[in-house]
Amino acid sequence: MSDYTPPKVWEPKESGGKFASINRPVAGPTHDKELPIGEHPFQLYSLATPNGVKVTVMLEELLALGKNAEYDAWLIKIGDGDQFGSGFVEVNPNSKIPALMDHSGDRPIRVFESGSILVHLAEKFGAFVPTDPAKRVETMNWLFWQMGSAPYLGGGFGHFYAYAPEKIEYAIDRFTMEAKRQLDVLDRRLAETRYLAGDEYTIADIAIWSWYGQLALGRLYDAAEFLDVESYENVQRWAKEIDARPAVQRGRMVNRTFGEPETQLHERHDASDFETKTQDKIGG
Ligand SMILES: N[C@@H](CCC(=O)N[C@@H](CS)C(=O)NCC(=O)O)C(=O)O
């Protein structure tokens, strides 16, 4: 049991933990830094966390369909505080990756929040969102489910299980309960349908796979055994099917700074970069 009694007014202090150095109680930029702009219509500023992967998978899926979704993906090192540079804050006042500038129209449009980015791209290209009104709503139901649920998985379960400076049983129990409940929500849905919104692969699958699919495949928090992810059989079937898509495999590599060097493409400016610019090829 903790002997901590909250003071009358909270004051910031060193809290320890993996992300302590980037946590701040205020918003806004900490330094001046313009963002680079490449030659393609879409400029993505991101990192290959689950929220970042959603967008690079979507862009690669659009390109695989033959859409003009060419993009430059610039690396934002959140551990170094790049998200607090003035240029980044102009694109996303919330200082979190992913952030996108759409230069494809007559004036640039900023897009932040990964769910908003997925909807923007899906509507722009008329892809990965059904036109049938009921199926479209079901896609949005699951997309917004992900946006509301994943903070309990990442900020709750992942934080206290993997990153907090001490293992707090109460917090781990509370968020493990919720993470498993969420996996069960998905498992029951995927017992009824091939994909989350029905028989069509949509932005809901892209968003949910990036978190819960990767969790089920044992890629998040080293928690596969602890959460008994193998027992969610329908989630497993769906996660593996999506994982096998070539666009998903490419999307996972973009802005990735961890894992095997051949899976890391720190920045993506051309389709050929997957063959020539991975870390095993360029080193560093
Ligand atoms: N709701 C946001 C969440 C984005 C988010 O939490 N991004 C994290 C990485 S996954 C981040 O940039 N963290 C940096 C920080 O908190 O300073 C979205 O879906 O875009």
Side-chain angles (χ1 to χ4, degrees):
M1 277 297 180
S2 157
D3 55 6
Y4 173 65
T5 306
K8 275 205 163 57
V9 178
W10 182 83
E11 296 284 348
K13 59 180 179 299
E14 181 54 57
S15 62
K18 192 163 175 200
F19 298 107
S21 62
I22 57 170
N23 291 339
R24 301 189 305 147
V26 291
T30 55
H31 58 282
D32 283 335
K33 190 170 182 202
E34 291 303 306
L35 288 175
I37 302 178
E39 63 180 30
H40 294 307
F42 297 98
Q43 299 295 306
L44 177 67
Y45 305 97
S46 195
L47 183 70
T49 66
N51 288 319
V53 160
K54 288 178 208 172
V55 178
T56 47
V57 166
M58 177 65 171
L59 288 163
E60 291 297 328
E61 291 282 13
L62 289 167
L63 288 167
L65 273 188
K67 307 283 185 187
N68 183 18
E70 266 300 344
Y71 67 106
D72 291 275
W74 304 94
L75 185 62
I76 298 295
K77 293 185 183 158
I78 60 175
D80 294 353
D82 291 351
Q83 69 276 35
F84 304 117
S86 54
F88 189 92
V89 175
E90 279 166 30
V91 182
N92 184 356
N94 196 38
S95 286
K96 305 227 183 244
I97 65 90
L100 181 79
M101 284 301 300
D102 177 353
H103 293 273
S104 66
D106 44 7
R107 63 199 142 84
I109 298 175
R110 79 173 187 189
V111 201
F112 62 89
E113 281 294 322
S114 58
S116 179
I117 296 174
L118 291 179
V119 171
H120 177 72
L121 293 172
E123 286 181 340
K124 183 167 192 95
F125 291 105
F128 304 113
V129 61
T131 46
D132 171 79
K135 289 184 183 167
R136 182 186 157 81
V137 170
E138 189 64 4
T139 302
M140 296 300 165
N141 291 343
W142 287 105
L143 176 66
F144 281 78
W145 176 88
Q146 186 281 313
M147 298 302 294
S149 298
Y152 291 99
L153 176 59
F157 172 75
H159 181 79
F160 287 106
Y161 181 73
Y163 302 141
E166 54 183 306
K167 302 288 178 222
I168 304 167
E169 188 176 353
Y170 174 81
I172 292 174
D173 281 348
R174 174 175 159 81
F175 290 112
T176 300
M177 184 93 73
E178 175 62 5
K180 286 184 73 76
R181 193 193 65 80
Q182 293 176 355
L183 282 165
D184 197 36
V185 169
L186 295 174
D187 204 56
R188 287 167 191 251
R189 171 60 178 164
L190 291 165
E192 302 165 348
T193 52
R194 180 171 174 193
Y195 297 113
L196 285 155
D199 51 8
E200 229 179 287
Y201 173 67
T202 69
I203 50 175
D205 296 289
I206 294 175
I208 295 176
W209 181 87
S210 299
W211 278 99
Y212 297 88
Q214 298 213 84
L215 180 72
L217 296 172
R219 294 183 190 147
L220 293 188
Y221 314 123
D222 208 5
E225 193 179 354
F226 184 72
L227 294 175
D228 191 17
V229 294
E230 289 294 334
S231 65
Y232 302 95
E233 289 176 13
N234 304 299
V235 174
Q236 287 293 331
R237 183 254 310 147
W238 163 88
K240 286 176 189 151
E241 181 179 344
I242 294 175
D243 196 43
R245 295 176 72 90
V248 172
Q249 289 170 10
R250 284 194 299 279
R252 280 186 62 217
M253 293 168 66
V254 179
N255 296 147
R256 186 173 157 107
T257 54
F258 50 88
E260 298 301 313
E262 61 273 20
T263 68
Q264 295 186 32
L265 181 58
H266 285 194
E267 292 198 349
R268 186 259 188 225
H269 301 289
D270 190 88
S272 65
D273 292 350
F274 291 100
E275 312 307 324
T276 57
K277 301 244 165 63
T278 49
Q279 282 304 104
D280 58 317
K281 307 264 171 49
I282 65 171

